[in-house]
Structure formats: C-alpha cells, structure tokens
Amino acid sequence: MTPLRIAGGRVYDPANGIDGDVRDICIDDGRIVADVPSSAPRLDARGMVVMPGGVDMHCHVASGSVNVARRLLPEDHAQHPALAPVLDDLATIPRSGSAGLVPTTFTTGYRYAGLGYTTVFDAAVAPLMARSAHAQLDDTPIVDGGFFVLLGNDDYLLRQIDAGERERAREYAAWLLGASGAYAIKAVNPGGIELWKRGSRERTELDQALGSSRVTPRAILETLADSAIALGLPHPLHIHCNNLGLPDNASTTLATMAALEGRRAHFTHLQFHSYGTSGDGAWRSAAREVIEYVNAHPSLSGDVGQVMLGPAVTLTADAPVEYLLHRSSGRKWANVDIELETGCGVVPHEYKERNAVAALQWAIGLELFLLSSDPWRVVLSTDHPNGGSFMSYPALIRLLMDRAHRDEQIKRVEPKLLAGSTLADGIAREYTLGEIAIITRAGPAKLLGLRDKGHLGVGADADVTVYVPDADAEKMFATTRYVVKGGTLVVEEGQLRRAPAGRRLHVRPSFDAAVTADIEHHFNQYSTVRFANYPVGDLRDASVPLAPSGAR
Ligand SMILES: [Zn+2]
C-alpha cells in the first residue's frame, strides 16, 4: 500500500475536535499517519469536505432473514438490476447483482462504499444462521463489519435464568459470541417472541412470566445487559424493546430504560418504540418523552430507525410484529421459526405519505433527531431495510440539515395524527456538517467501541470519504469524489475502482470451560444441530480486544 496525501480539504473529524479546518490527511500502510514525504501521491481535496468513512451500526445486510427476504422478493431484484462495476484492480472480479431494497451481497458492498460508508454491522443474526451470515459478509466487499448475535428468547438462556444461574447465562453468552463469531449481543423483544411461539397474542409486559415467575423480560434484559458489561464487550447490550410498533409502546420503552438504570445500554430504532395514545385512543407521538429520558441519562444511547416515505421491507426476529403487519396489510410474508433460538419474519411494506400512521412514524423519527441533545448518543439509522433503504441516507441527511426543505415535506404528509407533535409545531434546528459527521461516523464508532474507526487521528484505520459540497445536502451525500478504505483508494473521481475484501470485526470473550459440557448436553437433548457443528471456524481476521474489565 502506497502512502497518500489528501490535500487541502475541509476536514470534519469531531472525535479530534476538528470542525471544517483546512488540512491534509496523510495515509501510510492502511493507517492515518502524521505526515508522508512530499513526493507521495496526492489527492487534491481543495474546496471539498473530508470525513472519516461512514459507520452503520444497525442495518440488515447479511443474515438468515435477509436471505429469506431476497427469496421472497424476486420482483424487487427484477426491477433493480445492478451492473458489475468497471474495476481497475485486475485481481478482483467485478460482480453484477441486483439492488433495490434488499441488494445482493456484492452490490451491498459497492453501494455502501459509493455513499462513503466503510464499516457496516448486521444487527440481528440467529446463532444457527451465523455460518450463513459470515458467508454473506465474505461476499460483501470493501466494508469492514460483523454482526450482533440474537439472544433473549433462546431456550438455554431462559433455562439458566429460571434456575437462578445468571453467571452460567453469562458464560453461555461468552461462549455463544465466540462460537458464532459475533461482535455484540442483541435482544429482540426479549421473552416476547417465546411467549408468541407459545400462543400469546397480547402485549408483552416487563414483568410477565414465561412459565416460571423467575423468567421475565426484565430478568432477561438484566442478565444480558450485565453480561455484556461483565464480559467487557466493546458494545453494550443492543436492545429492540418489547411491543415494537404498537400504540402506547413508549411506556414499555421508558420502563425498559428505567429497568436498566445506571447500566450502559443501546436502544435501537427508537422511532418504532416511541408511540403514545391520546385521550380518544388514537396514535400520537411520544418522541419527546422518550428522547428527554435519553437526554437525561448519559449511560443510554440509541439509533433512530427513521422511516423514509416510500417502499421498504420489514424483516425482523420479532415474528409477532410481522404476523400483525401481514394480517393488517394483507401483503405476502414469510416466517421462519429458528427452532430453540428466535423467530424471523419478512413482510414488504410501503410508508405512504398520505397514510396517517406512516406520516406519524416519519415525524417521530425526525423529532427524535431534532430534540436529541447529544448527537454522540443518538445516531443515524433507518434500520435498513425496515424504515427504508440505506440508499436513502442522503435524503435523510437533507431533512436534518435543511429546515425549509423539511417544512415543505411536512406539508405533503397526512396531518391527521400529527397534532401535538413538536415537529408539526416547527423545530428550527438544522444539523451542521460537524453534527452529521458525528451521527454517521464518529458517534456510531464510539458507541461500538471501535477505537480505530470514525476518526482521522494518527493510528486510525485509513477510512476516509471526500464529498463535493453542495447546497442540496442530499446531492452532496449521494455521491463521493474519493473514498479510501484501509488505505486503498476505492472510489476515484466518483467511480468505484477497487473492491478489496473487508475485515471481520468480532469478539472472543473467555469463558468457564465447564459450561460447555452443559451446553453440549442441551444440544444433544433438544437441537437439530450437533454441538460440534455449531461454532464457526476460520474467521479471516483476529478478534477485537475486550475492555480490561473483561479480563476476569
Ligand atoms: Zn433492525
């Protein structure tokens, strides 16, 4: 890898306190360095905006459910063929595919890089699907990344909680993270999926018993949040709360946050969990209550899960949500019961601007962004493809940066449920470029505990994006002039030219070896998979170091 100087751009590197200063960024051997010889190749970035590569901490691009969605939606593929790029690098075979809402693997990598994103995490992989997820990530070029493994409705875990064996539950989580090659623990509708499998069709309450009164959503959340902290994981428990998408679920969200008081915890796609009801039972925004709670509690973080008006694909381990959505919309669906571990459903969806609930969801996401007091803790996501495609991030950035444009859009959507929404009353805030750099790269990198990502300080991974400024922020962020990934120039003069393999980011906490005999016994009793076949092997990159607290 040759040294490189990105010269004279306006640099936005919030982690290092740099907010639009004109300076050079120097790169050698895949890392940011203080300087390179004046003879080193240079990119002229004068008049351009330079940021660290984007970090998407919550999307769905490489899991069993993503593959189910790909199979369910052949029409999406047929409508969006994606030609192979013309690469300069003769050692890499350029690949065609399809784009649309659930792109094929290679196209996913190319398109993320084209937007200036260089790190991407799939937020929900069932342990049994881990091999498939790694295979998909192997075929998703350019971007570094990994996935969060699903726990929270898993039979073995629930049995440990029932037996009062929370320490063994923690050892199990440690074993599972390493066995699946995951980066973090994800809880989706903790306990609620299992209750649904057992026939419940009601809302899930935090203290609802799953058979035994010792096993409740609260107990599951406490066990997993404590495990993530005790194991020294770089990212805390990543929580998709109970009752996603239901009116008045903000009460569940706030109760969950209170249940984890004082612990580090990340609450994902907050928008889908910030609904209230008004006196007459109609839906209303509860964004203000939720975001004010987050603002006041520094141990909590979140991503928004913005709904973008237009087509989407909902895909989630939260099978009961998909069941309700399928029933109410009549759209086709697929649902997979991943035996002892979790559920998984897929329903195509459209957020129509004249649909009152869709307009409310859209408005709630924007309220969360605009009322957040700390961009480092509330970051950008659309829960791709649930709220909309990652390809809509530039349009979302424009909504945040451009009040006049936003106010025009508000006039177009169905106003019926927007009464009482702060957005409808007008919010003047406009995100600055520095704040956009926080919510799309520096913030997510920090929340993920990725010390070498999301910033341009000496020693950081040389992941750099160069944009051409434009008064229209959507236009600005939809294309990149240059993207450097790990020191390789992948986008040159706006064209994708190189597509090196990305690096796998995963953890391997130590655990008490005595626990494996018990897990193996459980597998032999109940699972269709042999224990020895379960762990993934041969991950191509070393694991990410844990925090010192993890060295037990
Ligand atoms: Zn998600």
Side-chain angles (χ1 to χ4, degrees):
M1 262 180 249
T2 53
L4 180 70
R5 177 186 298 271
I6 301 173
R10 269 199 290 138
V11 176
Y12 290 85
D13 180 14
N16 293 301
I18 298 167
D19 191 40
D21 307 2
V22 173
R23 56 170 69 199
D24 293 358
I25 298 296
C26 295
I27 292 168
D28 196 11
D29 202 23
R31 302 220 165 242
I32 305 290
V33 294
D35 204 2
V36 289
S38 56
S39 58
R42 72 170 50 210
L43 298 177
D44 183 1
R46 282 175 298 172
M48 297 181 204
V49 165
V50 180
M51 292 186 180
V55 178
D56 195 343
M57 74 180 298
H58 188 114
C59 62
H60 301 276
V61 293
S63 68
S65 54
V66 171
N67 263 351
V68 171
R70 288 181 178 128
R71 274 182 268 171
L72 186 70
L73 302 165
E75 66 278 11
D76 186 48
H77 296 195
Q79 286 162 16
H80 301 97
L83 297 178
V86 179
L87 300 179
D88 271 356
D89 171 10
L90 296 176
T92 310
I93 300 168
R95 303 287 293 261
S96 61
S98 60
L101 292 160
V102 192
T104 46
T105 49
F106 286 90
T107 302
T108 298
Y110 301 151
R111 298 258 159 136
Y112 261 113
L115 286 181
Y117 274 74
T118 49
T119 305
V120 171
F121 281 87
D122 188 292
V125 169
L128 262 179
M129 299 292 178
R131 284 167 184 268
S132 159
H134 285 293
Q136 292 175 59
L137 288 170
D138 284 346
D139 280 354
T140 305
I142 308 172
V143 292
D144 290 346
F147 61 78
F148 310 153
V149 70
L150 289 162
L151 266 176
N153 293 277
D154 177 293
D155 184 67
Y156 186 81
L157 179 87
L158 302 187
R159 284 171 189 254
Q160 303 318 309
I161 295 171
D162 187 20
E165 296 278 0
R166 290 197 186 189
E167 286 179 13
R168 191 187 284 162
R170 182 193 65 220
E171 299 304 298
Y172 170 61
W175 171 81
L176 190 67
L177 283 158
S180 62
Y183 188 78
I185 304 171
K186 168 79 172 299
V188 171
N189 187 2
I193 298 169
E194 179 61 20
L195 283 165
W196 185 77
K197 286 185 181 186
R198 295 180 190 185
S200 167
R201 295 295 177 263
E202 306 300 319
R203 300 169 72 92
T204 300
E205 302 304 331
L206 225 45
D207 292 310
Q208 191 170 343
L210 279 87
S212 150
S213 62
R214 286 184 297 273
V215 188
T216 61
R218 183 189 302 277
I220 296 167
L221 285 158
E222 286 171 357
T223 303
L224 293 177
D226 289 340
S227 295
I229 293 163
L231 296 172
L233 302 184
H235 184 53
L237 180 62
H238 195 96
I239 303 164
H240 155 150
C241 289
N242 303 108
N243 300 325
L244 181 146
L246 298 181
D248 212 17
N249 64 7
S251 55
T252 306
T253 307
L254 292 167
T256 307
M257 290 174 177
L260 296 176
E261 184 77 47
R263 298 170 173 94
R264 255 191 94 200
H266 182 87
F267 286 77
T268 192
H269 37 66
L270 281 169
Q271 176 277 130
F272 287 114
H273 305 276
S274 297
Y275 310 142
T277 46
S278 45
D280 58 1
W283 296 54
R284 69 166 181 87
S285 168
R288 183 179 277 283
E289 292 98 304
V290 170
I291 199 66
E292 284 182 351
Y293 194 94
V294 175
N295 287 344
H297 292 81
S299 64
L300 304 180
S301 60
D303 59 272
V304 168
Q306 176 68 35
V307 152
M308 297 301 284
L309 298 168
V313 178
T314 65
L315 62 89
T316 173
D318 203 340
V321 168
E322 299 293 49
Y323 170 74
L324 282 177
L325 198 57
H326 158 70
R327 292 281 296 234
S328 62
S329 72
R331 301 285 295 265
K332 63 181 173 181
W333 80 315
N335 189 53
V336 182
D337 173 26
I338 305 174
E339 49 178 282
L340 299 165
E341 297 180 343
T342 181
C344 159
V346 180
V347 186
H349 192 64
E350 176 147 20
Y351 300 99
K352 295 186 175 131
E353 62 186 17
R354 301 311 299 174
N355 175 291
V357 171
L360 178 70
Q361 293 178 301
W362 175 83
I364 288 173
L366 292 175
E367 283 182 89
L368 293 167
F369 276 116
L370 296 168
L371 299 174
S372 156
S373 64
D374 185 356
W376 291 93
R377 289 192 292 118
V378 178
V379 303
L380 183 144
S381 72
T382 62
D383 192 14
H384 159 87
N386 284 283
S389 162
F390 67 82
M391 294 300 290
S392 66
Y393 292 171
L396 173 53
I397 290 171
R398 185 177 181 202
L399 286 167
L400 300 178
M401 292 189 73
D402 181 347
R403 184 187 178 181
H405 168 67
R406 187 167 70 229
D407 287 348
E408 277 306 306
Q409 301 302 304
I410 293 169
K411 286 184 206 149
R412 295 162 59 100
V413 304
E414 170 57 51
K416 198 171 134 200
L417 296 176
L418 298 189
S421 136
T422 31
L423 189 72
D425 295 342
I427 305 178
R429 181 172 179 189
E430 292 182 327
Y431 271 63
T432 62
L433 278 176
E435 287 175 319
I436 295 296
I438 296 173
I439 64 170
T440 58
R441 37 265 287 157
K446 188 169 177 216
L447 297 177
L448 287 164
L450 292 169
R451 276 172 287 179
D452 297 335
K453 301 250 177 233
H455 74 98
L456 299 174
V458 169
D461 291 348
D463 301 345
V464 190
T465 301
V466 181
Y467 297 103
V468 179
D470 196 295
D472 178 342
E474 178 173 355
K475 207 169 145 201
M476 171 175 169
F477 283 96
T479 51
T480 45
R481 178 62 63 89
Y482 300 110
V483 178
V484 178
K485 164 65 202 351
T488 300
L489 186 59
V490 295
V491 172
E492 202 171 348
E493 300 299 340
Q495 298 295 318
L496 187 71
R497 289 299 187 213
R498 286 164 205 88
R503 226 160 27 97
R504 192 66 30 81
L505 299 165
H506 62 104
V507 295
R508 189 170 282 279
S510 59
F511 56 90
D512 177 0
V515 77
T516 53
D518 197 49
I519 302 170
E520 185 170 3
H521 177 70
H522 180 264
F523 267 72
N524 293 341
Q525 292 280 98
Y526 303 109
S527 180
T528 61
V529 179
R530 287 168 67 107
F531 183 68
N533 286 339
Y534 202 79
V536 298
D538 299 330
L539 292 180
R540 64 182 174 211
D541 299 294
S543 55
V544 172
L546 301 175
S549 62
R552 288 169 296 137

